[in-house]
């Protein structure tokens, strides 16, 4: 892990950990090289834990928790960037957030997909500026450099162009992967979404599973005072033995309608290079 | 649909509908032929709706609801047998159960997998004798005739040999597919499981998705007074790009332990021919 620097120009130190699945050193090098070119004032600090492997995970639950907590509690780190999703953050989020100190409250936390478990737990606890957006792992995607640069633009410059274009000031937002959020309902990870516009996206789920998750989510959010729901990308839908018979957007409109939740149209988030930033809560700019 | 008969010997009329996905006429013929051989006193009444198709489903939500309700409310039908799972019962269960009359309270309701949505809603409403067990669709499985015969043994004779062997009188039980139950938490379909031993099974899910569903389920059931949890089959686990690092049973033990739920061992239910019957609530024999 990089140590504290004494450079003269103001730098932004971004701590990167992997709360879910392992990252690769090669991808980390590519992200570092890209950032050095586009954001020389950013210093990327990849925790060694990113490259650990234990079964499915980037190290044991304890290793992943410790890695996140030590970066978040480090006064020399300005922002936490989750390396990639996969699955695993749900196993550590509650305990990890309980160990955060005052320093952790002043940081940006950025990621999406399975990292939504930590975004939710942090936002629920009122810690930091939580945002849904591209991760270092997006470097491996077609057009992924653009996605990585967008997150750096947000972390380093708070560039408004990095934001989901439909966001308006004075409105609260939250954004999640649908299945991740569906599995957070009723747990200690889900934040209060009263008055929020919720933006969801999905990847690699059959439309019947998407429909089932929407049944679950909308049933659980009914009567919670949501300001509305918007739909990002629904990508890489597997072929089923027969067509589902309804589009992803029609599914969202139907379940939202049945649960008296306003459907407010599409959004530019998702498991793709166009994934734009959605800061949680009121827009910070 | 068959009409009322005037046969002299007492017969058991079993109404079969498909609340989720379509059945085939060929499979229905095989089930009828098998039942005629093994349980001549049983009369199987396949609703025409079983063979309807609309996109993913065995007819529209309205068709599937009407089919179930008309069989359940029919005084000449003694038991309702769900033809197969797949996905779809969650979309109709709440509305369907609200339309049931007094006659519906005196019936057996038998199925598993996605039909668990109806089992849950019926049990929550205190309607009938709900049971988790093989469906007509099991005829297509290796050894499936044995599974179909087991359900007929239960419906027609209440044969104790058809039951999950670990059940004891004086104890309440409920059994579900894990993902189906996970998606029922917080909705109007999930019954009160206080004092129950909950038996779960899973099919065709990656172990990381099994782990995630167990996180969700145990978090939601923590503090609800469950008497314990038992694990049936966890079958056809897809190969992931790397091993998860923990068995399905170890996953259940860990999440149960973290949520102060007693883990009580394995059970003989699942998406396989050995799937035994689990009546909900107290053992009726």
């Amino acid at each position: 892990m990089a140590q504290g620097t004494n450079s003269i120009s103001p730098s932004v130190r971004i701590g990167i950990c992997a709360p879910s699945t392992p990252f690769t050193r090669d991808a980390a090098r590519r992200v570092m090289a890209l950032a050095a070119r586009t954001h020389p004032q950013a210093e990327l600090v990849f925790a060694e834990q990113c490259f650990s492997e234990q079964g499915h995970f980037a190290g044991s639950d304890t290793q992943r928790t410790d890695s996140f907590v030590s970066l978040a509690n480090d006064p020399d780190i300005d922002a936490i960037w989750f390396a990639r999703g996969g699955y695993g953050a749900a196993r550590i989020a509650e305990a990890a957030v309980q160990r955060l100190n005052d320093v952790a409250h002043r940081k940006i936390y950025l990621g999406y997909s399975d990292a939504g478990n930590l975004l939710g737990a942090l936002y629920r606890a009122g810690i930091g500026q939580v945002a849904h957006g591209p991760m270092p792992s997006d470097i491996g995607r077609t057009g992924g450099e653009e996605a990585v640069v967008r997150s750096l633009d947000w972390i380093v410059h708070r560039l408004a162009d990095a934001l989901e274009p439909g966001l308006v000031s004075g409105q609260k937002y939250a954004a999640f992967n649908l299945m991740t959020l569906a599995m957070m309902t009723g747990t200690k990870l889900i934040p209060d979404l009263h008055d929020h516009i919720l933006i969801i996206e999905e990847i690699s789920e059959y439309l019947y599973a998407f429909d089932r998750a929407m049944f679950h989510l909308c049933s659980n959010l009914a009567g919670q005072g949501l300001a509305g729901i918007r739909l990002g990308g629904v990508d890489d839908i597997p072929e089923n033995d027969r067509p589902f018979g309804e589009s992803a957007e029609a599914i969202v409109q139907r379940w939202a309608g049945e649960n008296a939740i306003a459907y407010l149209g599409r959004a530019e988030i998702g498991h793709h290079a166009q994934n734009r930033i959605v800061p949680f809560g009121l827009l910070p700019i």
Side-chain angles (χ1 to χ4, degrees), chain A:
Chain A
M1 209 183 294
Q3 296 303 308
T5 58
N6 291 305
S7 68
I8 295 159
S9 68
S11 73
V12 177
R13 298 189 80 231
I14 304 172
I16 301 169
C17 62
S20 310
T21 57
F23 206 49
T24 68
R25 291 186 193 279
D26 179 59
R29 274 190 291 268
R30 291 174 61 198
V31 172
M32 302 268 282
L34 176 63
R37 238 172 30 240
T38 62
H39 295 78
Q41 64 280 73
E43 185 183 344
L44 272 55
V45 181
F46 275 91
E48 184 62 26
Q49 169 271 325
C50 292
F51 315 112
S52 296
E53 288 194 35
Q54 182 171 313
H56 182 82
F57 304 103
S60 68
D61 288 357
T62 303
Q63 284 175 296
R64 302 196 317 284
T65 305
D66 289 348
S67 175
F68 166 72
V69 170
S70 80
L71 285 173
N73 286 348
D74 182 344
D76 291 330
I77 295 284
D78 302 297
I80 303 294
W81 201 10
F82 300 114
R84 69 176 288 207
Y87 173 66
R91 293 166 54 125
I92 65 166
E94 186 187 350
V97 166
Q98 284 169 357
R99 286 173 51 193
L100 298 186
N101 65 18
D102 287 350
V103 164
H105 281 252
R106 301 192 292 268
K107 294 189 167 120
I108 284 179
Y109 297 87
L110 180 62
Y112 71 110
S113 197
D114 189 63
N117 287 291
L118 271 160
L119 302 183
L122 288 160
Y123 188 60
R124 177 184 169 118
I127 295 172
Q129 171 61 64
V130 172
H132 183 280
M135 298 185 287
S137 59
D138 285 296
I139 196 78
R141 201 182 281 292
T142 307
E145 293 204 349
E146 186 193 330
V148 169
V149 166
R150 186 178 309 119
S151 280
L152 291 168
D153 280 346
W154 170 250
I155 296 173
V156 178
H157 305 301
R158 302 288 194 286
L159 205 65
D161 282 354
L163 296 176
E164 208 294 315
L167 306 185
V168 295
S169 60
Q171 172 62 54
K172 291 179 183 169
Y173 296 92
F176 288 97
N177 170 262
L178 171 61
M179 190 59 76
T180 302
L181 182 59
M183 291 302 191
M184 292 165 64
T185 62
T187 77
K188 292 181 179 166
L189 305 186
I190 196 166
D192 180 4
L193 295 174
H194 187 264
D195 283 343
H196 288 65
I197 291 175
L198 171 63
I199 310 180
I200 55 168
E201 59 83 32
E202 193 49 285
I203 182 79
S204 300
E205 293 286 351
Y206 289 105
L207 282 181
Y208 78 81
F210 183 84
D211 191 72
R212 185 170 59 182
M214 281 304 300
F215 153 70
H216 179 72
L217 182 69
C218 289
S219 300
N220 273 272
L221 294 181
Q224 303 277 307
L226 213 62
I229 197 163
R230 288 175 59 197
L231 178 62
V234 181
D235 300 319
D236 293 345
I237 301 167
E239 283 269 343
N240 204 348
D241 50 2
R242 60 191 179 283
F244 186 74
E246 199 178 20
S247 71
E249 186 172 21
I251 290 170
V252 174
Q253 287 175 302
R254 180 169 43 74
W255 283 118
E258 288 191 16
N259 290 280
I261 296 168
Y263 175 68
L264 303 172
R266 302 304 298 256
E268 290 187 26
I269 70 162
H271 280 70
H272 49 57
Q274 291 71 45
N275 188 16
R276 306 280 282 267
I277 313 280
V278 178
F280 280 38
L282 292 169
L283 272 189
I285 53 170

